């Protein structure tokens, strides 16, 4: 098989050995869940329950009031104890606290949505919206928004991201091995919902068993092509994946739709398949719990709202003193200062480093080697963007296309002087975006 790829990128160690052969286990039932009303990019939901209400599994507890928003649902049956601001993985958020009654009684609204052949495109997108499905690769962009193609856009291709290029994470890998049919079903639903006739499932070649599994699951559908990707980071980034599969380039500042493509994660497709077949909204997901700081690394099926601390305890707890806790992968995940937070729809991984692994190297002066420019998958000059940011010259950083940075961290990874490239470019992006908002 010839392997597809993109220009640039880096080759960090995989560190997937600890969990890549671990079958997905169902996590213990949480006795209490904390469900943020915003688990997605966009506007937060509004609570549609109140303290003291009895709720059931799959019942909507947060209503979307904006287009770029996704409703949230209860992952347990029980009683609403609090609706209050609490710490969540992305900061303080309004949360619904539910004490489980242990019965897992399913809400009456959770019913199969019918045969895919009989569903219209509009009905499919409405099912996706009402199920609260978001991008499960970690971006958490509301999926129904991605599937709502404007009339002036010509989208002819859907790509499913099965690359899982972040080191350590194996949740998507296990999903492709253990439930490939749900992924293909969800992909077919997306194709019907957007009237697209061609789809790719891109998988890195360090997962040959997953490639084989998905090929078998998709063999009846000629319109779906499973393609092998060169193992390289960030192979799963949208623009890089689009180029690898189609050789199309997304214009600077543009969206994948402008290249005629929609990209989704394999887990997102599986969630869509599940929502249509069973009617169950997005209330649980597979999560990889790993790193040298974890005693028993695992892939667990966790309910949204479960405490990160409880999940870690189910993996034998910490292996010594934890040095760093990250939700997601080590390259694009979010570091947390406490484990007293809840899991969300976007919790693809829980990674714990030892203090030795977490120690940051002392940055040195740039030696002008140009490696960051050579490997940047967005074709930027990270050293210049970073330098302008560190000197508060954000207008100049914008001229050097700071906003095109996909924040993959490849530049920081490759830098021999360990300069804070990604961190400073992120600051520039925030400042540029803030200035644009103020000027409106």
């Amino acid at each position: 098989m010839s392997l597809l790829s993109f220009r640039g990128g880096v080759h960090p160690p995989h560190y997937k050995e600890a969990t890549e052969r671990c079958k997905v286990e169902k996590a213990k039932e949480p006795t209490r869940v904390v469900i943020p009303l915003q688990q997605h990019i966009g506007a937060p939901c509004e609570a549609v329950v109140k303290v003291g209400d009895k709720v059931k599994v799959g019942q909507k507890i947060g209503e979307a009031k904006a287009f770029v928003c996704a409703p949230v649902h209860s992952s347990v049956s029980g009683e609403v104890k609090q609706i209050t601001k609490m710490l969540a993985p992305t900061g303080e958020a309004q949360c619904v606290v539910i004490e489980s009654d242990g019965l897992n009684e399913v809400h009456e609204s959770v019913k199969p949505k019918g045969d895919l052949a009989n569903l219209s495109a509009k009905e499919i997108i409405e099912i996706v919206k009402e199920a609260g499905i978001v991008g499960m690769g970690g971006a958490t962009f509301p999926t129904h928004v991605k599937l709502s193609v404007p009339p002036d856009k010509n989208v002819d291709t859907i790509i499913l991201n099965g690359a899982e290029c972040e080191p350590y994470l194996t949740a998507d890998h296990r999903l492709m091995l253990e439930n490939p049919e749900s992924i293909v079903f969800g992909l077919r639903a997306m194709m019907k919902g957007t009237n697209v006739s061609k789809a790719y499932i891109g998988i890195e070649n360090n997962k040959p068993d997953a490639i084989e599994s998905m090929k078998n699951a998709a063999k009846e559908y000629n319109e779906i092509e499973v393609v092998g990707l060169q193992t390289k980071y960030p192979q799963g980034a949208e623009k890089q994946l689009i180029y690898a599969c189609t050789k199309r380039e997304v214009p600077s500042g543009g969206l994948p739709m402008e290249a005629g493509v929609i990209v989704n994660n394999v887990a997102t497709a599986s969630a869509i398949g599940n929502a249509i077949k069973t009617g169950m909204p997005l209330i649980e997901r597979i999560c990889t719990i790993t790193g040298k700081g974890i005693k028993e690394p695992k892939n667990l099926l966790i309910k949204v709202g479960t405490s990160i601390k409880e999940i870690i305890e189910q993996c034998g707890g910490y292996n010594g003193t934890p040095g760093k806790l990250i939700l997601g992968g080590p390259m694009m995940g979010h570091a947390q200062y406490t484990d007293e937070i809840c899991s969300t729809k976007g919790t693809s991984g829980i990674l714990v480093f030892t203090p030795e692994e977490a120690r940051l190297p002392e940055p040195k002066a740039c030696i002008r080697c140009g490696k960051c420019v050579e490997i940047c998958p967005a074709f930027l000059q990270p050293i210049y963007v970073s330098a302008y940011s560190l000197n508060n010259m954000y207008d100049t950083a914008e001229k050097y296309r700071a906003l095109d940075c996909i924040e993959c961290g490849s530049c920081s990874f490759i830098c021999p002087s360990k300069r804070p490239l990604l961190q400073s470019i992120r600051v520039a992006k925030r400042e540029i975006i803030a200035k644009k908002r103020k000027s409106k």
Side-chain angles (χ1 to χ4, degrees):
M1 175 191 290
S2 60
L3 299 173
L4 308 178
S5 191
F6 62 96
R7 204 202 80 174
V10 293
H11 297 273
H14 300 167
Y15 294 127
K16 293 176 184 281
E17 300 82 5
T19 55
E20 64 186 352
R21 299 185 188 281
C22 297
K23 288 188 176 179
V24 178
E25 300 175 34
K26 194 172 175 62
K28 291 178 186 172
E29 280 294 322
T31 56
R32 174 180 177 269
V33 291
V34 176
I35 302 180
L37 289 170
Q38 184 168 20
Q39 302 179 47
H40 49 266
I41 292 174
C45 293
E46 290 184 15
V48 291
V49 292
K50 59 184 185 302
V51 174
D53 281 359
K54 302 288 185 184
V55 296
K56 297 179 181 177
V57 177
Q59 180 175 339
K60 188 186 290 183
I61 58 174
E63 183 69 86
K65 297 290 186 180
F67 179 57
V68 184
C69 185
V72 295
H73 304 77
S74 178
S75 56
V76 297
S77 61
E79 183 177 337
V80 177
K81 290 295 186 182
Q82 277 182 294
I83 302 174
T84 185
K85 282 194 172 180
M86 299 179 74
L87 189 62
T90 54
E92 197 174 65
Q94 193 79 0
C95 297
V96 178
V97 182
I98 303 170
E99 189 174 281
S100 173
D101 58 15
L103 300 176
N104 272 331
E105 193 175 353
V106 176
H107 193 254
E108 296 75 16
S109 63
V110 179
K111 295 176 182 174
K113 303 302 180 185
D115 194 326
L116 180 57
N118 298 327
L119 292 173
S120 68
K122 187 178 177 183
E123 287 171 329
I124 290 170
I125 293 174
E126 187 63 20
I127 291 168
V128 172
K129 178 184 175 183
E130 285 301 303
I133 295 172
V134 299
M136 294 177 71
T140 66
F141 191 80
T143 303
H144 71 276
V145 179
K146 270 193 179 182
L147 299 181
S148 301
V149 182
D152 61 332
K153 302 294 181 189
N154 180 26
V155 172
D156 59 11
T157 304
I158 290 179
I159 301 175
L160 282 193
N161 176 13
E164 202 165 46
C165 57
E166 277 267 12
Y168 290 94
L169 303 187
T170 57
D172 290 348
H173 185 181
R174 294 310 310 181
L175 175 65
M176 290 187 283
L177 291 179
E178 298 180 35
N179 203 359
E181 293 80 11
S182 71
I183 297 171
V184 172
F185 185 87
L187 174 55
R188 290 173 52 228
M190 281 191 273
M191 293 173 74
K192 185 169 185 183
T194 52
N195 193 30
V196 163
S197 58
K198 178 65 182 179
Y200 296 93
I201 303 175
I203 306 169
E204 284 191 337
N205 68 326
N206 63 351
K207 295 178 271 292
D209 49 357
I211 293 174
E212 190 64 28
S213 172
M214 293 309 305
K215 279 188 171 180
N216 283 335
K219 62 186 177 186
E220 294 179 20
Y221 308 103
N222 294 330
E223 66 276 21
I224 298 175
E225 187 176 349
V226 179
V227 294
L229 306 171
Q230 184 184 344
T231 300
K232 185 167 65 168
Y233 180 85
Q235 189 67 262
E238 276 189 336
K239 293 178 181 178
Q240 286 63 40
L241 189 57
I242 290 169
Y243 181 80
C245 292
T246 68
K247 302 303 176 207
R248 299 179 191 172
E249 292 190 22
V250 179
S252 174
L255 296 171
M257 275 187 193
E258 288 165 62
V261 182
I262 293 172
V263 180
N264 273 300
N265 182 267
V266 289
T268 308
S270 180
I272 291 173
N274 189 50
I276 294 173
K277 286 184 174 178
T278 70
M280 185 61 76
L282 181 51
I283 60 162
E284 61 186 9
R285 65 157 301 137
I286 301 172
C287 174
T288 301
I289 304 95
T290 189
K292 287 184 180 176
I294 293 287
K295 282 187 177 175
E296 300 169 20
K298 295 181 179 179
N299 292 302
L300 291 180
L301 182 64
I302 60 171
K303 287 196 166 180
V304 169
T306 306
S307 156
I308 297 295
K309 186 177 183 179
E310 286 181 22
I311 295 170
I312 291 173
E313 286 170 356
Q314 291 180 50
C315 297
Y318 291 114
N319 189 20
T321 303
K324 193 171 191 178
L325 169 65
I326 299 172
L327 298 189
M331 303 296 280
M332 295 187 76
H334 293 97
Q336 306 290 328
Y337 71 87
T338 176
D339 57 9
E340 301 278 2
I341 50 174
C342 60
S343 61
T344 67
K345 299 172 184 178
T347 309
S348 58
I350 300 172
L351 176 59
V352 180
F353 285 156
T354 63
E356 292 73 27
E357 290 174 313
R359 190 172 296 121
L360 291 174
E362 193 67 28
K364 298 174 184 173
C366 174
I367 59 173
R368 305 283 176 180
C369 65
K371 286 186 177 178
C372 60
V373 178
E374 187 181 327
I375 58 82
C376 178
F379 313 139
L380 305 182
Q381 300 177 75
I383 185 58
Y384 289 118
V385 182
S386 169
Y388 291 127
S389 176
L390 292 171
N391 285 285
N392 301 325
M393 298 168 66
Y394 303 119
D395 289 342
T396 311
E398 185 178 8
K399 290 176 183 172
Y400 276 72
R401 298 172 46 226
L403 292 181
D404 280 342
C405 173
I406 60 172
E407 302 186 18
C408 66
S410 295
C411 52
S412 292
F413 174 81
I414 203 72
C415 178
S417 297
K418 301 305 173 189
R419 301 287 303 161
L421 298 173
L422 173 60
Q423 297 93 323
S424 53
I425 294 172
R426 276 179 172 159
V427 170
K429 289 180 69 177
R430 306 295 183 270
E431 291 292 334
I432 294 165
I433 291 169
K435 184 179 177 183
K436 286 179 181 289
R437 285 178 178 158
K438 277 184 184 176
S439 64
K440 284 183 180 176

